[in-house]
Amino acid sequence: MDTEGTYDARGTGAERVPRPAGPPPAAPPPPPYAPRPRRPEAGGAGVEEWLRTPRPVREPGVWRYGHVPRPPEKPEGVSDRSLLVGVLISVLSGLLLWSLWRNGYIPYRLVPLKLFTPGDWWYAGTFGGPRTIEGADALTVYEAVLFGLLVYGCGRLGNWSEIFRRHVAGRGQPFLGLATAAGSALAELLVWKDAVPLVRPVLILVASVAGGEIYQSQTVVNVIYTLIALGVLWPFARLGHWRELIAARRGKGAAVPDAPAGPPDAPTPDQWPELREAGMRDAAEALTAEVRTGRMNDVDVARLRHAWSVGRGHPQRLAALTEAVLRTGGAAALHPSGARDLTRRTVRHDLLTGQVRIGSCTEDPHNPYARRGSGIALEPALLGTSLLAVGPPGAGKSARLVRPVVESLALQALAGRAAVLAVGGAGSDLGPDDAFDVVVRIGDPASVHDFDLYGGTTDPDEAASVLAEGLVGDVTHLDSRRAATVLAQLLGPYRAVHGHFPGVPALRELLDGDVAAIDALREALGAGGHQAMLRELEARTRQKGGAGDPGPVLADRIALLDRPAFAPFFATAEQARPFSLRSLGHLPLRVRIDLPERAHAEASRLLTRLVLAQFTAITAARTDRSLFVCLVLDDATHTVTAETVRGIRRLRSVNAGALLTLRTVDDVPEGLHTALLGAVGCCMAFSGVTTWDGKRFAEVWGKEWVETREVAQHAVFADQPFTRALHGLRKLVTGKAVTRDAVTVRRVERERWSASELAYQVPPGHAVLSLTTVEGEHAPPLLVTLDG
């Protein structure tokens, strides 16, 4: 992977790769061991910390770098206002009951106590009080027990525990400790002021057990008072976690990890444990030193990990990699361009997982609770199912989706794991020139590279099939297979005579049926003994001008490329050096194609269709599928055909994918709407889509079962005069009749996102995104705020 043929001569062959785009560097690159900046991702962490950050496996599209799962959803509780009112009512009710008890307004209050005590302790009668000292002591203990039961009942009825948990314990330390300390001080004051019956009942109980003589000792009395004070403090100390607070203040409350990640002597990720397990300790030590001294970045780590995983099945390659690591450290197994990073990054990347963060899930009821607030990221496992993004101009498709994806794929190409082909109009912000190995500027005389119309193939039938799809794939009344047959009848004979396919002017003459060109080709075929190809040419001559002949349409379409602005391009002679997409099949290239959309809009659409057709054909035919290849079309208007839809559907099985953006689904022929939305695994609707587009996305995303609550108010009719009077008084005060609510809960099936919601409820800068992995795992449509 040192050069991979990057600096070889250019040509039309599949094994020839054009030189990197841009001028040569003004100064030689720094030596391999020169310190380089640590750039694991936009968050600013060092490579060592970046490697140690956990990346838990989550649902599709979750930004895994440092992801912390959201706490479980709490059931909808009582409002704070209701809690406070309940506490106030329970306290007032308890005070009223206790006042009535102490003042003797509750009848038969002493009957339970008299049933379990001797009768001579009490005066006769139901309301008779204590006659003896024993009766008075029993009444004191009895009142203390009832007071405790009253406090417990009021606490349960008023939900005091919930108000404490929500507004005191929920604030954490030190507020919890201070609040419980204040509560304990108030409780001590009430206890020692006899507002709370505790001290006297305790003294009575101790005297009844140990005898009254025990109080003759002041030391014993002090001990009892101390125990009472500590008993009052103990529940507050438990509630306020005073022990943990004091230990933390003294530095003794260090946090203990839940569970060790491995044995104490197990190597951490920054120590390259996979190399140590394979017995390559020297290489692991060298790379560990590179990481800790800052001479490696995240691209180097990802590149060497990928090279290690590829080389494990090839002992010779693994030995060469080990030698290169010992010799050059983190600069081993460089990308063919020699680059180790991009000059500028605009979004956050995690090259260990291959993810690029494009936004985060909003706190919206449409989003599942567990996904709200989590980051949203794209990766090859998702792009492998292809992604279709639809949104009006200015919605942010290019800046917030296309640019981050192209940047991520370019970084992965530097790591040797992917190849990217980005196609957009001239001037579109797909990245700077130095971020690509090949930049093809069609129509620009200063362009270093040309474009191969035939995709680098030497088979006339294959070349004709792909070229016909690009030329007339959008013509609904014309069969592209007949057009491919016409082109094959001309391309085969021409290549047999000249050794290469015809250029644009020559192909236009043949499609127009120019007599001189046809006769010259016929004579050359006869002189060269190419009888089979001569029969092909004669068949084309007989069919010319017949009913349904696609020749004139092909000639008109190829004439769009036979313009003075394109004269230096699309050459096929020996001196020509066009770039072929076939190089993407086996090299981690970064390619960008700029189209002249403003001056030649129709020709740009034709070329985009041709690029899409070549990409689907080349990726499906490649034998080595270890490299992820992705095509990014910044504008796929009028480029999708029936054949390319079938090709997009096959991409996920050949480790390839495509990202297509449209202003509206109507930019695709109506007969292909369902096929296209069914072919891609990921769909994205930006803010501002029309209700017509929203309807199609709503059909794709389907429905789900939800619970609905219907509340109906019914008037309450009173039969009793007193009740009618109360209802009348209530209506006079509130102005409303007395009603009661009838609640009906049902499970119904509703659309996840309706057409009107997609059209009018998606805020600017947001999009609704659904994801599918190549393994078939799905994520529901999520409302995402885009910060890419």
Side-chain angles (χ1 to χ4, degrees):
M1 199 173 166
D2 293 329
T3 64
E4 296 281 2
T6 304
Y7 302 102
D8 299 341
R10 296 182 299 161
T12 58
E15 301 299 327
R16 299 181 182 178
V17 184
R19 65 175 181 270
Y33 279 85
R36 294 178 179 269
R38 300 184 179 186
R39 291 191 54 186
E41 47 94 20
V47 177
E48 187 174 356
E49 180 183 350
W50 172 74
L51 280 170
R52 294 185 178 186
T53 302
R55 295 165 174 84
V57 179
R58 304 299 298 174
E59 297 82 4
V62 175
W63 173 251
R64 294 169 52 190
Y65 178 79
H67 174 74
V68 178
R70 191 171 186 177
E73 184 176 8
K74 299 177 181 178
E76 185 177 356
V78 183
S79 64
D80 292 342
R81 181 178 178 180
S82 300
L83 282 176
L84 294 175
V85 171
V87 170
L88 180 61
I89 292 177
S90 64
V91 171
L92 294 178
S93 302
L95 292 176
L96 177 62
L97 287 175
W98 186 244
S99 177
L100 294 175
W101 172 273
R102 295 295 299 268
N103 291 285
Y105 289 104
I106 297 179
Y108 310 108
R109 63 190 186 97
L110 299 182
V111 170
L113 179 61
K114 292 180 178 181
L115 293 176
F116 296 96
T117 55
D120 56 355
W121 287 6
W122 312 95
Y123 287 107
T126 305
F127 296 94
R131 175 188 295 179
T132 62
I133 297 178
E134 290 82 359
D137 292 342
L139 179 59
T140 301
V141 175
Y142 178 59
E143 289 182 343
V145 172
L146 290 180
F147 181 83
L149 295 176
L150 179 63
V151 172
Y152 176 78
C154 291
R156 291 296 302 271
L157 292 176
N159 208 358
W160 295 1
S161 60
E162 177 64 19
I163 201 76
F164 176 82
R165 183 191 61 80
R166 186 178 300 184
H167 294 284
V168 180
R171 296 189 179 186
Q173 299 288 9
F175 181 82
L176 175 61
L178 294 176
T180 51
S184 65
L186 178 62
E188 293 282 0
L189 179 63
L190 296 176
V191 166
W192 296 110
K193 289 292 184 179
D194 268 344
V196 174
L198 179 63
V199 177
R200 290 185 61 196
V202 170
L203 295 177
I204 292 173
L205 290 176
V206 171
S208 63
V209 173
E213 297 80 5
I214 193 173
Y215 294 122
Q216 296 179 0
S217 173
Q218 186 63 35
T219 302
V220 173
V221 174
N222 293 337
V223 169
I224 294 175
Y225 284 166
T226 302
L227 292 177
I228 294 175
L230 293 177
V232 174
L233 289 177
W234 180 78
F236 292 94
R238 289 290 304 273
L239 291 174
H241 302 286
W242 293 359
R243 182 177 180 182
E244 291 82 355
L245 179 61
I246 295 174
R249 293 297 179 183
R250 292 181 178 179
K252 299 180 181 179
V256 180
D258 295 338
D265 56 346
T268 55
D270 60 302
Q271 296 177 341
W272 302 83
E274 64 274 11
L275 298 183
R276 298 179 186 272
E277 293 176 1
M280 303 166 59
R281 295 190 60 85
D282 294 339
E285 293 293 343
L287 293 178
T288 302
E290 292 278 291
V291 169
R292 293 179 177 175
T293 55
R295 291 181 291 192
M296 287 183 67
N297 58 17
D298 55 343
V299 178
D300 297 329
V301 173
R303 185 184 67 252
L304 292 176
R305 282 177 176 264
H306 176 71
W308 158 254
S309 63
V310 172
R312 279 186 296 182
H314 305 81
Q316 296 180 353
R317 186 181 300 180
L318 189 59
L321 176 62
T322 305
E323 181 183 355
V325 168
L326 295 176
R327 185 177 67 255
T328 60
L334 281 179
H335 184 263
S337 65
R340 298 174 64 176
D341 201 353
L342 299 179
T343 56
R344 186 170 69 94
R345 302 189 189 185
T346 59
V347 292
R348 300 181 62 183
H349 302 272
D350 183 24
L351 291 178
L352 281 190
T353 58
Q355 291 186 320
V356 53
R357 183 185 174 110
I358 62 172
S360 58
C361 289
T362 62
E363 296 286 342
D364 189 87
H366 287 91
N367 294 337
Y369 174 81
R371 298 298 297 267
R372 298 174 191 172
S374 62
I376 289 293
L378 297 177
E379 57 184 307
L382 299 172
L383 295 174
T385 63
S386 298
L387 190 152
L388 176 66
V390 179
K397 300 187 298 297
S398 298
R400 300 181 179 183
L401 175 64
V402 174
R403 175 66 187 272
V405 170
V406 171
E407 188 175 288
S408 173
L409 294 172
L411 288 172
Q412 295 186 53
L414 293 179
R417 302 189 303 195
V420 56
L421 172 60
V423 182
S428 58
D429 188 16
L430 297 180
D433 291 351
D434 57 7
F436 297 92
D437 303 310
V438 176
V439 177
V440 181
R441 297 184 178 89
I442 298 178
D444 187 355
S447 177
V448 180
H449 305 280
D450 303 338
F451 181 71
D452 189 355
L453 292 177
Y454 304 101
T457 183
T458 58
D459 184 2
D461 294 326
E462 182 181 354
S465 176
V466 175
L467 185 58
E469 195 64 33
L471 292 177
V472 296
D474 62 328
V475 180
T476 56
H477 65 274
L478 183 61
D479 189 357
S480 60
R481 291 174 295 182
R482 292 194 60 189
T485 301
V486 171
L487 288 172
Q489 289 172 344
L490 297 175
L491 297 181
Y494 190 94
R495 178 173 177 79
V497 172
H498 299 281
H500 57 81
F501 292 122
V504 170
L507 181 58
R508 181 182 181 184
E509 291 179 352
L510 294 175
L511 289 172
D512 281 332
D514 185 77
V515 178
I518 295 294
D519 291 342
L521 183 57
R522 184 184 293 110
E523 292 177 2
L525 288 172
H530 303 287
Q531 296 301 320
M533 293 301 173
L534 184 58
R535 288 194 299 270
E536 288 283 298
L537 182 61
E538 294 298 339
R540 172 60 199 147
T541 304
R542 290 192 303 269
Q543 296 170 3
K544 180 179 178 299
D549 180 22
V553 180
L554 290 170
D556 291 341
R557 287 301 180 89
I558 202 66
L560 295 173
L561 303 181
D562 191 17
R563 306 298 300 163
F566 302 139
F569 292 85
F570 316 127
T572 57
E574 289 296 331
Q575 67 274 14
R577 297 177 298 178
F579 170 72
S580 171
L581 298 188
R582 202 167 293 271
S583 304
L584 295 169
H586 58 279
L587 292 176
L589 290 177
R590 303 166 294 167
V591 183
R592 193 187 77 204
I593 299 178
D594 294 341
L595 301 173
E597 289 184 345
R598 295 181 180 178
H600 304 276
E602 192 62 30
S604 297
R605 294 171 183 172
L606 186 153
L607 291 172
T608 306
R609 283 196 302 272
L610 183 59
V611 169
L612 181 57
Q614 287 188 7
F615 180 82
T616 55
I618 290 172
T619 53
R622 61 180 181 149
T623 56
D624 184 8
R625 299 172 180 175
S626 60
L627 197 69
F628 177 73
V629 186
C630 188
L631 169 66
V632 179
L633 294 182
D634 191 33
D635 185 6
T637 303
H638 301 298
T639 61
V640 178
T641 65
E643 185 60 32
T644 54
V645 168
R646 286 189 286 269
I648 291 173
R649 189 179 291 112
R650 293 192 297 265
L651 290 179
R652 69 174 66 188
S653 62
V654 295
N655 196 21
L659 191 158
L660 312 177
T661 66
L662 296 171
R663 294 182 177 90
T664 174
V665 181
D666 290 331
D667 289 337
V668 177
E670 185 176 359
L672 297 178
H673 289 175
T674 303
L676 177 61
L677 291 171
V680 297
C682 306
C683 296
M684 196 169 186
F686 282 76
S687 62
V689 297
T690 63
T691 53
W692 291 273
D693 290 340
K695 179 181 179 181
R696 297 181 179 95
F697 281 107
E699 292 174 352
V700 171
W701 290 330
K703 301 179 179 181
E704 63 179 347
W705 289 98
V706 296
E707 283 190 357
T708 61
R709 299 176 74 251
E710 297 179 357
V711 180
Q713 292 184 340
H714 301 282
V716 178
F717 300 97
D719 297 331
Q720 302 298 326
F722 181 73
T723 308
R724 284 199 299 269
L726 290 178
H727 288 184
L729 179 62
R730 179 176 176 180
K731 183 177 181 180
L732 181 64
V733 173
T734 62
K736 297 180 181 180
V738 179
T739 60
R740 61 180 179 182
D741 294 340
V743 180
T744 303
V745 180
R746 296 187 303 172
R747 283 180 57 85
V748 297
E749 195 175 18
R750 287 186 177 176
E751 293 177 332
R752 300 177 185 271
W753 281 88
S754 66
S756 59
E757 288 176 333
L758 290 172
Y760 302 113
Q761 294 187 14
V762 179
H766 292 65
V768 180
L769 172 65
S770 66
L771 300 170
T772 304
T773 65
V774 291
E775 290 83 10
E777 189 176 359
H778 295 270
L782 306 169
L783 181 60
V784 178
T785 175
L786 301 172
D787 52 18

